Amino acid sequence: FKPNFYANEAPERYYLDLFSLCKRHFSGKTLSNLLYLVLKEGFLYAPFEKIEILYTDFLKINTIPTLTKYLQKNYLIASILQKGHFAPSFTLKNVENKIISLADFKEKVIYLDFWGTWCRPCVEEIPFQKELQKKFADKAIVFINISINDKFE
């Protein structure tokens, strides 16, 4: 599945409709696999509270236990990373091999960006982010860019 115009304009409707469509036309393992794909992507793009309802439905009708196990990880991540929530604490090495932590930037606004060289939209966003950094250079804003070098799952 790839997000399209419909998904970008109304992601909650897109995933709800896709989920319902799959339930109407498929059954058994095919249905479980398709719903898994819908939810996996939905956790990334749709409002959590909408996808959570579909996830609960999926748990009742899924016939492949390993898919539940895989989706539990996505569910947990999506529940923690909801819009408006505080970011979970983390510690990473920066490009100079220095260890940094989210806690190092208390009292500052943090622009946190996850990107990958394999992600075309992420790479295309770099010039705009550099402009943004220049625009806010005199403000208490920290820009943290975290490169995910493996394909995102």
Side-chain angles (χ1 to χ4, degrees), residues 28-37 55 58-59 62-74:
K29 290 184 179 184
T30 302
L31 175 62
S32 291
N33 279 300
L34 289 171
L35 295 181
Y36 165 79
L37 293 172
Y55 175 70
F58 170 82
L59 293 176
N62 177 36
T63 61
I64 308 172
T66 54
L67 295 181
T68 297
K69 180 183 166 189
Y70 295 145
L71 268 186
Q72 284 173 337
K73 179 180 168 185
N74 296 77

Side-chain angles (χ1 to χ4, degrees), residues 115-130:
W115 72 287
T117 54
W118 50 267
C119 172
R120 186 177 180 156
C122 300
V123 174
E124 290 172 352
E125 184 181 274
I126 292 171
F128 301 106
Q129 190 181 93
K130 287 184 180 184

Side-chain angles (χ1 to χ4, degrees), residues 93-138:
K93 288 184 181 179
N94 67 10
V95 291
E96 288 113 22
N97 218 24
K98 178 184 169 191
I99 295 178
I100 64 164
S101 174
L102 191 59
D104 296 338
F105 306 104
K106 284 184 180 178
E107 307 299 321
K108 295 187 178 186
V109 174
I110 300 171
Y111 180 99
L112 189 57
D113 181 43
F114 293 89
W115 72 287
T117 54
W118 50 267
C119 172
R120 186 177 180 156
C122 300
V123 174
E124 290 172 352
E125 184 181 274
I126 292 171
F128 301 106
Q129 190 181 93
K130 287 184 180 184
E131 281 181 39
L132 197 59
Q133 283 178 284
K134 286 179 188 173
K135 181 178 179 179
F136 293 102
D138 62 335

